[in-house]
Amino acid sequence: MKQLRILVTGGAGFIGSHLCERLIADGHEVICLDNFFTGRRANVEHLMDHRRFELVRHDVTEPIMFEVDRIYNLACPASPVHYQYNPVKTVKTNVIGAINMLGLAKRVKARILQASTSEVYGDPMEHPQTESYWGNVNPIGLRSCYDEGKRVAETLVMDYHRQNRVDARIMRIFNTYGERMLEDDGRVVSNFIVQALHGRPLTIYGDGSQTRSFCYVSDLVEAMIRLMDCEAEDVHMPVNVGNPGEFTMLELAREVGLAAGVEVKIDHRELPADDPKQRRPDITRAKELLGWEPAVPLAEGLKRTVKYFRDLIDRPGSVTAQA
Ligand code: NAD
Ligand code: UDP
């Protein structure tokens, strides 16, 4: 395969670090760009000595110029706890960041993949969600900086494509989990695992009947590579990527208990505002376009993630989950 120069923004984050690792393994040259808001140098430490890997500290809200063939634009905090910490900054990262990266793609004629989210469907009235569904999003709520930010990013991708012929792709990522999530990330899988390993009750927000569909990170990265490589005519239209296995938070708590080998207790907390009641991807398009479907079932992915957190917690100086 031809060696390409690839820019990964948000490359020191959870998904980005796995993507960088895979691209290096595939023989490419990788520039990992990150402002280290939720990303960590430690996530890419093992790649630092590689001659085809470069780490650049930079904020995507500021323009930057690289001669690259491809851009994966992942920069943006993904956990509600982190994206709500500075919501104005989250909007800037999504909107100005997308403008900067699309502008770069236009200038150097790079192909670009924009990481979007299932959150563009909001609290969905259609279930499971297909790409043709326009969503049910509160434009002025606490999640809007992220949901609407990503929706504008999608708009920008389509306009740069139509107006400037930028070769762009949009991936709507559904809840993804795995090694290198932060211990204090605040998302449900890492919270539950860290709580279970500390012998604390699992914090379920609301009655725990809300559902999510959880995709293991290696499955997601495989789909990203395939979407970037895809040459199909309608590749510019959004693609859902996630695992269609759907679980209530109560079921997830049980699965985490099994994976961690502990009996879990539950601590019900208040449900955050605008928390979507259900979410499951229809992945027909990903199957047809990319020949992709997830390979790692929840029980297996959780086992691997539990092992990661167990090793991390056993290390001195570890922090504990948001709860
Ligand atoms: P993450 O928070 O671990 O990674 C995001 C990375 O972006 C971090 O390294 C962070 O430091 C960096 N970053 C944030 N703002 C930046 C800025 N202004 N400039 C440069 N770097 C910046 O989250 P993740 O789970 O790895 O998510 C990666 C991408 O995938 C995000 O765009 C997210 O919206 C999207 N996504 C993730 C999920 C999921 O379940 N993990 C679901 C849907 C969409
Ligand atoms: N959640 C929970 N306990 C936690 C963290 C989250 O019950 O400790 C719930 C949350 O209310 C939501 C679901 O788990 O219904 C998924 O939350 P997460 O933040 O992981 O992702 P998102 O809501 O963005 O899909």
Side-chain angles (χ1 to χ4, degrees):
M1 196 213 284
K2 189 173 165 239
Q3 182 177 313
L4 299 170
R5 280 197 101 201
I6 304 179
L7 173 64
V8 179
T9 78
F14 158 52
I15 295 173
S17 61
H18 287 274
L19 178 63
C20 288
E21 197 174 271
R22 167 70 189 267
L23 293 170
I24 288 286
D26 286 351
H28 299 297
E29 207 178 312
V30 173
I31 302 171
C32 168
L33 181 155
D34 210 293
N35 72 348
F36 301 117
F37 175 46
T38 49
R40 297 285 174 269
R41 195 174 285 270
N43 287 342
V44 289
E45 197 76 61
H46 59 299
L47 302 173
M48 295 292 246
D49 288 338
H50 204 289
R51 66 189 163 76
R52 284 184 278 107
F53 181 80
E54 199 179 332
L55 178 63
V56 178
R57 182 181 208 126
H58 182 80
D59 195 302
V60 285
T61 59
E62 302 293 336
I64 193 161
M65 170 70 189
F66 292 111
E67 287 294 341
V68 287
D69 304 298
R70 292 182 172 183
I71 303 167
Y72 289 87
N73 190 26
L74 271 61
C76 179
S79 164
V81 174
H82 296 296
Y83 71 62
Q84 288 168 7
Y85 172 74
N86 184 346
V88 173
K89 175 71 191 217
T90 301
V91 175
K92 286 186 186 170
T93 296
N94 276 315
V95 178
I96 303 173
I99 290 173
N100 285 335
M101 289 306 119
L102 286 158
L104 175 63
K106 175 185 159 189
R107 184 159 167 195
V108 302
K109 295 196 169 29
R111 181 179 285 187
I112 182 167
L113 185 152
Q114 173 65 39
S116 186
T117 169
S118 53
E119 294 275 327
V120 299
Y121 301 121
D123 193 1
M125 315 283 266
E126 188 183 282
H127 193 74
Q129 293 78 54
T130 57
E131 291 87 351
S132 57
Y133 178 51
W134 288 355
N136 175 35
V137 178
N138 176 358
I140 55 167
L142 294 177
R143 296 174 85 101
S144 313
C145 57
Y146 184 75
D147 303 1
E148 297 287 23
K150 290 285 187 183
R151 285 167 70 98
V152 175
E154 288 199 6
T155 307
L156 286 161
V157 168
M158 292 311 288
D159 285 333
Y160 268 85
H161 171 63
R162 285 185 289 248
Q163 197 177 328
N164 303 110
R165 299 275 123 226
V166 170
D167 183 359
R169 290 109 213 273
I170 297 169
M171 180 177 283
R172 290 187 179 151
I173 302 169
F174 284 64
N175 298 60
T176 301
Y177 69 99
E179 296 91 327
R180 304 202 195 111
M181 291 182 93
L182 292 173
E183 249 178 297
D184 59 351
D185 179 272
R187 280 177 281 188
V188 68
V189 174
S190 44
N191 270 11
F192 281 6
I193 291 178
V194 174
Q195 289 160 349
L197 293 177
H198 281 297
R200 298 204 306 257
L202 274 50
T203 52
I204 288 194
Y205 302 161
D207 64 6
S209 64
Q210 70 271 39
T211 67
R212 293 292 187 274
S213 304
F214 298 98
C215 185
Y216 184 64
V217 65
S218 61
D219 283 333
L220 183 85
V221 167
E222 178 62 34
M224 283 187 148
I225 304 280
R226 289 189 190 206
L227 181 58
M228 186 60 114
D229 286 345
C230 183
E231 303 286 351
E233 188 132 327
D234 71 338
V235 71
H236 310 293
M237 299 300 283
V239 185
N240 284 343
V241 172
N243 190 323
E246 184 180 359
F247 295 84
T248 65
M249 293 312 103
L250 281 166
E251 287 166 342
L252 177 69
R254 206 172 312 129
E255 290 291 327
V256 167
L258 289 173
V262 298
E263 205 163 310
V264 295
K265 291 177 283 302
I266 303 295
D267 174 12
H268 285 278
R269 302 276 178 95
E270 202 181 327
L271 187 69
D274 295 334
D275 199 279
K277 283 180 273 308
Q278 52 181 4
R279 188 182 288 154
R280 172 155 61 101
D282 180 319
I283 57 165
T284 310
R285 178 162 153 76
K287 278 185 186 162
E288 288 173 2
L289 188 75
L290 313 174
W292 174 90
E293 60 184 315
V296 183
L298 184 65
E300 174 57 29
L302 284 180
K303 246 192 246 165
R304 296 183 202 174
T305 314
V306 163
K307 180 180 179 330
Y308 169 79
F309 278 110
R310 190 168 266 140
D311 292 348
L312 199 71
I313 287 166
D314 286 347
R315 262 185 243 157
S318 75
V319 290
T320 46
Q322 302 271 334

